[in-house]
Amino acid sequence: MAETTTAMKEKPTATRPVRQGKLRSIYHSRWFYLMMIPGLVYYILFHFAPMAGTLIAFQNYNLMKGIWGSPWVGFDNFRVIFDNPEFLQIMRNTLLISIYKIVGNMVPDVILALMLNEVRVLWFKRAVQTITYGPYFLSWVIVYGLAFSFLAPGSGLISTYVRDMGWGQIDLLTNNDFFRPMLVLTEIWKNTGFGAIIYLAALASINQELYEAAVVDGAGRWRQLWHISLPGIRDVFVLLLIIRIGGILDAGFDQVFIFLNARVYDVGDIVDTWVYRYGFERLEFGVAAAMGVFKSLVGLVLVVGANRIAKKVGGSGIW
């Protein structure tokens, strides 16, 4: 009994140095914790707090009654989504556009980064980076304005040139066959420079002694590219690929919404534009929120699945 009492008395004194060590560590890193506060506040206000709005997906939401006063309808909003005749079409459009963007955007990013990594003339490398990175700062409204100035039927630069050459009239902005390629091409033009910067940072972190050893072994540029550069950016590529797969139902609302018109609804109407019409035009907020919950669940399943596959195949993933 006396030994037990003695142990109980010694336990607090044993944990005290541990607590003091933690407090001392926090104090020494206080500026890092201080810099974390804006990011934490952002995620709390704009990512975690809005999760309470998922309750709308199970309600016949009324703006005047609010979340707590609107009647509960269970899974009726989800039935409206899955019974809608447009559901399969918008899912198909969303998946196709997302897959086209993943393939058509990530591959040019890698190619541009590898090409810039081989450039030894510093001023030329910086000039190319600036030119390719510049369009990233343009809004999709400006990008559509540029596309309209070139492709508008009757008044666009390209369409006018084709007409004046006697090759007929083209109307690419309202062409179902050209709409998806136009989305991918404008996405590549706008975002490739920014994506290449991420891979350039990964290439810069590769140990240069590996390249020197490869040169000693007689490896040329292509061998160095295949055996050193590409494996060096593999983890970054897998990470970005998993993130993109998780957002596969986010086909780029802002871009599609601006480029979309009535003639290309069959190939361009996606989940987010459908949600916009139901939520803001028809004021059926419950149905729009239900689609958001469905998208989140699909994204969660895809991220977890892609991460497991990546770990089994390549040994690396997000977690």
Side-chain angles (χ1 to χ4, degrees):
M1 185 68 179
E3 294 178 357
T4 305
T5 306
T6 303
M8 292 176 64
K9 290 182 179 179
E10 292 178 352
K11 188 175 181 180
T13 58
T15 57
R16 189 176 302 166
V18 177
R19 292 178 181 174
Q20 291 178 351
K22 290 182 178 179
L23 292 175
R24 192 178 297 111
S25 176
I26 293 174
Y27 177 77
H28 286 307
S29 305
R30 61 189 182 278
W31 299 115
F32 294 103
Y33 288 108
L34 186 63
M35 288 188 291
M36 286 174 57
I37 292 177
L40 291 175
V41 171
Y42 166 79
Y43 278 99
I44 291 172
L45 292 179
F46 297 102
H47 290 271
F48 290 101
M51 287 184 181
T54 56
L55 296 175
I56 298 174
F58 306 94
Q59 294 178 328
N60 183 13
Y61 182 71
N62 188 298
L63 282 173
M64 303 303 296
K65 296 180 180 179
I67 295 178
W68 306 115
S70 299
W72 296 89
V73 295
F75 292 95
D76 288 351
N77 292 326
F78 292 91
R79 294 190 186 96
V80 172
I81 293 173
F82 298 134
D83 293 339
N84 195 304
E86 299 177 351
F87 177 74
L88 293 178
Q89 183 65 35
I90 63 172
M91 288 297 296
R92 180 175 179 272
N93 293 339
T94 304
L95 292 174
L96 285 176
I97 292 174
S98 294
I99 293 172
Y100 292 160
K101 285 186 175 183
I102 290 174
V103 176
N105 205 1
M106 295 191 69
V107 174
D109 294 351
V110 174
I111 294 174
L112 179 61
L114 293 173
M115 292 173 63
L116 290 175
N117 190 56
E118 297 296 324
V119 176
R120 297 295 177 261
V121 182
L122 189 59
W123 69 266
F124 180 76
K125 181 177 181 179
R126 290 178 176 176
V128 173
Q129 281 186 280
T130 303
I131 294 172
T132 56
Y133 187 55
Y136 177 77
F137 296 98
L138 301 177
S139 68
W140 281 113
V141 176
I142 297 176
V143 174
Y144 177 75
L146 293 173
F148 187 85
S149 65
F150 280 95
L151 304 176
S155 60
L157 182 63
I158 296 178
S159 58
T160 302
Y161 176 79
V162 172
R163 183 194 60 196
D164 293 344
M165 292 296 293
W167 296 338
Q169 184 73 29
I170 61 172
D171 191 2
L172 299 180
L173 293 177
T174 58
N175 190 321
N176 286 341
D177 296 330
F178 187 72
F179 182 75
R180 290 170 184 165
M182 181 172 57
L183 294 180
V184 176
L185 291 174
T186 53
E187 178 92 8
I188 292 173
W189 179 77
K190 186 176 186 295
N191 295 327
T192 297
F194 177 78
I197 289 178
I198 300 175
Y199 293 108
L200 282 172
L203 289 169
S205 65
I206 298 175
N207 190 349
Q208 296 300 312
E209 293 180 357
L210 296 175
Y211 292 101
E212 296 173 0
V215 172
V216 173
D217 291 338
R221 285 291 184 184
W222 287 108
R223 287 290 182 181
Q224 296 176 35
L225 175 69
W226 184 259
H227 294 287
I228 300 176
S229 299
L230 288 178
I233 63 175
R234 180 186 60 188
D235 292 344
V236 176
F237 184 86
V238 171
L239 172 63
L240 296 177
L241 179 62
I242 293 173
I243 293 174
R244 284 180 174 270
I245 289 175
I248 199 168
L249 293 184
D250 295 322
F253 167 75
D254 45 357
Q255 180 194 16
V256 177
F257 181 75
I258 292 171
F259 278 81
L260 193 64
N261 57 74
R263 293 187 180 182
V264 294
Y265 261 78
D266 292 340
V267 297
D269 194 20
I270 61 174
V271 170
D272 287 340
T273 54
W274 186 88
V275 169
Y276 176 84
R277 292 199 302 275
Y278 263 79
F280 291 97
E281 295 180 4
R282 302 185 185 184
L283 300 181
E284 296 185 18
F285 299 104
V287 177
M291 181 62 86
V293 173
F294 171 72
K295 283 179 53 181
S296 300
L297 292 175
V298 172
L300 176 62
V301 172
L302 290 175
V303 166
V304 174
N307 186 73
R308 289 186 177 181
I309 294 174
K311 293 180 71 174
K312 288 183 179 180
V313 175
S316 62
I318 296 180
W319 66 88

